[in-house]
């Protein structure tokens, strides 16, 4: 059966709209499709910048915000129909009935699957479940990012990401400041990671320190991934950046709050999740984070 698939070249569309972490967790799906259909042209549609981290295994990425897709949610335009007729297969993670119905009327075969699990199945495994409808069983749900800019860093560097998509997910800034001071005493250089929504959290850490430290700010995600790949370790909150750190293979320590790590924990070769029994980040103790970091930092 696999040999038959290898001989067929087909265009495959994958639709998944989500944040940075959601998109990183889609990479195993794209990798499985690439392995099963090695001669195919795979187009992933969703949040464009994080999707740039998925080339390869995808061949092409497109933003779901493009004007081309607007009529997919109503009556498909001739332009959209002409484009979609090029695809023999679409794997779509949505429950939008209009979108699904329109695709089914144009694309050869459509596999639709809910974007979120209904239980405590990890999101990466949940997304892969859709491929069983194609006879594809992928046993490795670990995302691996191959597409990033190579960056040079000197010495032992600890990447610190004090932000997230929600203040309630953030560990207190004074704890991050104390952690940075501890790392510096060990000869480890801190590097604060600041995304578009992280400025307040980063400045709070700087204020708690009482001085400036190096900050990587406003960088495209491919460069952020390159920086994280060169760091000796990463520590941060439950965020898309933590998923990137894990997926480039950097030893990663993630502090979780209200979100369930069984579903949303980053997957990687060396990932440690810390969560208080209360589900509140402020109840995660500094000593615990330090002890876990000792386990992942190079000797």
């Amino acid at each position: 059966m696999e040999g038959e698939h290898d001989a067929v070249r087909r265009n495959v569309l994958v639709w998944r709209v989500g944040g940075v972490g959601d998109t990183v967790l889609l990479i195993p799906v794209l990798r499985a499709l690439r392995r099963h259909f090695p001669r195919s042209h795979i187009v992933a549609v969703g949040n464009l910048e994080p999707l740039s981290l998925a080339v390869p295994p995808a061949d092409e990425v497109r933003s779901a915000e493009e004007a081309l897709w607007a009529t997919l949610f109503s009556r498909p335009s001739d332009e959209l129909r002409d484009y979609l007729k090029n695809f023999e297969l679409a794997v779509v993670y949505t429950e939008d009935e209009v979108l699904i119905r329109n695709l089914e009327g144009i694309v050869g075969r459509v596999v639709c699957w809910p974007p979120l699990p209904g239980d405590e199945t990890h999101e990466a495994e949940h997304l892969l479940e859709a491929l069983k409808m194609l006879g594809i069983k992928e046993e490795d749900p670990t995302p691996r990012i191959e597409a990033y800019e190579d960056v040079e860093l000197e010495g032992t560097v600890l990447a610190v990401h004090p932000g997230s998509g929600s203040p309630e997910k953030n560990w207190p800034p004074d704890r991050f400041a104390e952690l940075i001071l501890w790392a510096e005493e060990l000869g480890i250089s801190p590097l604060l990671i600041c995304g578009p929504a992280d400025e307040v959290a980063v400045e709070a850490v700087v204020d708690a320190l009482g001085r400036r430290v190096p900050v990587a700010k406003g960088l495209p995600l491919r460069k952020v991934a390159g920086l994280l790949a060169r760091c000796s370790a990463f520590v941060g909150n439950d965020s898309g950046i933590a998923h990137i750190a894990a997926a480039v293979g950097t030893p990663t320590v993630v502090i979780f709050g209200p979100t369930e790590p069984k579903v949303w924990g980053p997957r990687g070769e060396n990932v440690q999740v810390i969560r208080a029994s209360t589900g509140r980040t402020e109840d995660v103790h500094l000593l615990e984070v330090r002890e876990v970091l000792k386990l992942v930092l190079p000797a």
Side-chain angles (χ1 to χ4, degrees):
M1 179 67 72
E2 189 170 339
E4 293 177 14
H5 287 301
D6 288 348
V8 177
R9 189 189 190 285
R10 66 190 71 207
N11 292 324
V12 180
L13 180 75
V14 180
W15 179 282
R16 171 69 168 105
V17 179
V20 175
D22 305 320
T23 305
V24 170
L25 294 176
L26 181 68
I27 290 176
V29 169
L30 298 170
R31 185 176 63 224
L33 288 168
R34 165 61 59 224
R35 188 175 299 158
H36 203 68
F37 304 120
R39 299 181 65 244
S40 295
H41 185 78
I42 299 174
V43 179
V45 182
N47 189 340
L48 188 59
E49 190 180 7
L51 273 177
S52 70
L53 300 170
V55 182
D59 297 293
E60 180 185 348
V61 295
R62 301 190 66 159
S63 171
E65 299 297 319
E66 288 181 38
L68 173 69
W69 307 109
T71 60
L72 187 57
F73 301 91
S74 55
R75 184 175 180 178
S77 65
D78 290 341
E79 179 188 9
L80 180 58
R81 285 182 176 277
D82 289 342
Y83 178 74
L84 290 174
K85 284 177 182 177
N86 295 312
F87 292 90
E88 289 78 30
L89 171 65
V91 179
V92 295
Y93 295 94
T94 181
E95 294 181 286
D96 189 299
E97 294 181 0
V98 175
L99 181 151
I100 293 168
R101 184 170 62 250
N102 284 335
L103 283 175
E104 288 177 337
I106 305 171
V107 177
R109 181 175 183 185
V110 178
V111 173
C112 53
W113 198 252
L116 303 175
D119 53 21
E120 290 192 348
T121 301
H122 192 277
E123 173 70 358
E125 295 170 357
H126 168 75
L127 295 176
L128 281 169
E129 285 287 316
L131 301 188
K132 290 183 178 179
M133 299 171 70
L134 297 169
I136 301 174
K137 184 178 180 181
E138 175 63 34
E139 297 181 355
D140 184 6
T142 303
R144 293 181 181 84
I145 293 174
E146 304 172 42
Y148 55 80
E149 293 184 28
D150 198 15
V151 177
E152 292 296 329
L153 288 178
E154 295 184 1
T156 303
V157 178
L158 174 64
V160 180
H161 182 233
S164 72
S166 170
E168 65 182 1
K169 293 183 178 183
N170 293 351
W171 201 39
D174 60 307
R175 310 262 179 92
F176 274 115
E178 291 181 67
L179 189 69
I180 287 171
L181 292 172
W182 167 79
E184 289 178 329
E185 289 176 0
L186 298 177
I188 299 168
S189 301
L191 175 64
L192 285 170
I193 307 296
C194 182
D198 299 329
E199 290 189 7
V200 172
V202 168
E203 283 304 313
V205 173
V206 171
D207 289 345
L209 275 171
R211 58 181 169 83
R212 311 300 299 185
V213 292
V215 179
K217 180 179 178 181
L219 301 178
L221 287 180
R222 286 174 71 103
K223 192 158 189 176
V224 171
L227 275 173
L228 294 175
R230 290 294 185 180
C231 287
S232 303
F234 168 93
V235 61
N237 303 309
D238 164 27
S239 70
I241 299 297
H243 284 275
I244 294 174
V248 297
T250 299
T252 297
V253 177
V254 191
I255 300 163
F256 262 74
T259 310
E260 177 52 66
K262 291 179 182 178
V263 178
W264 294 106
R267 290 288 181 90
E269 307 299 333
N270 190 354
V271 177
Q272 304 291 330
V273 171
I274 302 174
R275 189 190 194 207
S277 59
T278 61
R280 301 192 309 173
T281 54
E282 59 264 35
D283 293 334
V284 173
H285 298 294
L286 173 65
L287 180 60
E288 183 178 5
V289 178
R290 282 169 42 177
E291 291 303 310
V292 174
L293 263 177
K294 285 180 184 178
L295 297 176
V296 303
L297 281 165

